[in-house]
Amino acid sequence: MFTRSGEWVIISGVKKYLHFKTLKSLRVHLVLIILLVGIIPTLIMQKVLIRNYESRAVEVRTAEVQNQCTILCNQIAEANFLKDPSGEVLQSELSQLANIYSGRIMVVNDEFAVVFDTYDLDRGRVIISESVSKASAGNSATFYDAETKYIEISSPIYDGNKNEVLGVMLTSVSTNAIAETMSILEGVTEVLIIIMTVAIALIAFLIGSKVVRPFRRITDSIEAVTEGFDDDYLHENAYEETEVLSVAFNKMLGRMKVLDDSRQEFVANVSHELKTPLTSMKVLADSLLAQEEVPPELYREFMQDLSEEIDRENIVINDLLTLVKLDKTNPHLTIEGQNINEMLERILKRLRPVAAERNIELVFESYGPVMAEVDEIKLVLAFSNLIENGIKYNHDNGWVKVTLDADHKWFTVIISDSGIGIPEEEGERIFERFYRVDKSRSGEISGTGLGLSIARSAVLLHRGAIKVQGNDDGGTDFNVRIPLTYIAI
Ligand code: ADP
């Protein structure tokens, strides 16, 4: 083993990989299947045809020789050849028949003694064999020996009245001619099979290449998209399967584009939101630096402004961090059984002083105690944001009402307010990150535009749903629905 440089190991690894890859290739599979389907039946047919030809040819030859034998048997009986086998006419006829078929004829009398043999070897010998005894009982018998390529026919020799069997004529004829024809046939069919195999292999290769071509095109397109050269959609409609694949791929591509767009928008928004307070801070600091002998009161005022900008920056960063935590594909949730009534009352208690500043009434209405499996911290965050918004975007002396209800599967919290409302056309957009309805309208109300995104993410993590709609008092209703039992996926 050539381990010092590791080359040998690498080469054998690559070979193994290629070997494995080739075996896994769809084209190779197709070529092999087409070859097998095309060639196995042909091989079987060749064997069947040749066997059929052999048995048919042997049958014809046997019938032919048997006819001749019957004629000769009659002549033997008539000429009393069994008693006096010296008749030259019959002898030459028997020899002629034997010669024509490259065989041998023996005539046996009723004492099983050979009276005539075309080979002149066994004259006078006694033959007792199954075929001789069958024929002497009146039944002619035939037997084909495929090994030695001979047909043996034993025919009974009857007297003139066909009553008595006088002897037996044993004929064996060679079937070499049949065997020769068979081997010629085999040769021809083998050549044909080889030509067919090459042709089928060629066709199989072409079909294989054609079948896998759309898949190759799909791979090329996907690679082009992956490498960023192309952001085109796939249109591979050669087969139903590739069409389904294209549709699925395009869907994924569409989703990726949306995600990419939203990521870019998010980054742009984050930069903008973080830059705004920084720009203000820079302007404040520069204007202080530009002045000489600045009175301490002005310093204090500017420092106050700077501190507020830093606070704002802090709020944005904290909200972003919360959102990132909630956005993780597999966030850590601490699910525990919670009393939702108590949870909401705690939130309202904390927000009451804020609401009192603008004389906004906070009302809680519950249709009964509700226990649910939730992550307390994340859900408190969601409801706090919604109730805080109800206060923030409200008129002075208004109200915010929180209603809790439940059925056997879900609990529902409706947060209604008598506030400024959300125009219907804003719809779902308010849940987008950094989205603020009509910036000039929200201008004087501080906010990051992240509160509702945070609320929605927290609700979705609980496999719940959040909806928004206007109410009869011109304000807004946020409807949150969450399963009582946490459904882990
Ligand atoms: P923020 O309040 O920080 O601006 P949010 O994501 O909480 O961000 O809200 C997004 C926008 O939706 C807000 O700017 C506001 O215009 C609108 N909004 C949210 N809640 C209410 C509400 N209860 N009443 C009216 N407008 C609302």
Side-chain angles (χ1 to χ4, degrees), residues 312 315 319 385-394 400 415-423 426 429-439 441-443 445-455 468 474-478:
R312 185 170 150 64
I315 292 171
D319 274 1
N385 278 347
L386 293 172
I387 302 168
E388 267 176 83
N389 277 352
I391 301 168
K392 247 185 0 182
Y393 300 102
N394 215 323
V400 176
I415 299 121
S416 321
D417 62 50
S418 59
I420 57 173
I422 298 172
E426 299 294 331
R429 293 215 65 191
I430 52 163
F431 293 105
E432 286 173 20
R433 296 150 175 176
F434 294 112
Y435 189 79
R436 304 197 75 203
V437 177
D438 182 5
K439 302 237 160 130
R441 183 186 82 143
S442 324
I445 307 168
S446 70
T448 57
L450 293 170
L452 286 182
S453 317
I454 292 173
V468 62
T476 314
D477 285 359
F478 279 95

Side-chain angles (χ1 to χ4, degrees), residues 255-313:
R255 173 128 181 77
M256 271 168 63
K257 278 182 181 166
V258 169
L259 283 178
D260 198 45
D261 289 350
S262 91
R263 186 181 55 86
Q264 276 180 12
E265 197 188 316
F266 182 61
V267 171
N269 286 338
V270 168
S271 319
H272 176 77
E273 291 300 319
L274 294 180
K275 251 190 104 186
T276 316
L278 273 179
T279 319
S280 312
M281 283 190 260
K282 172 90 177 131
V283 170
L284 282 169
D286 282 353
S287 62
L288 263 190
L289 285 173
Q291 294 177 45
E292 277 175 29
E293 289 177 26
V294 184
E297 307 82 65
L298 199 64
Y299 254 117
R300 179 167 290 282
E301 198 191 318
F302 273 44
M303 282 304 162
Q304 182 64 39
D305 289 349
L306 274 174
S307 169
E308 275 170 20
E309 290 302 336
I310 291 170
D311 281 348
R312 185 170 150 64
E313 186 97 46

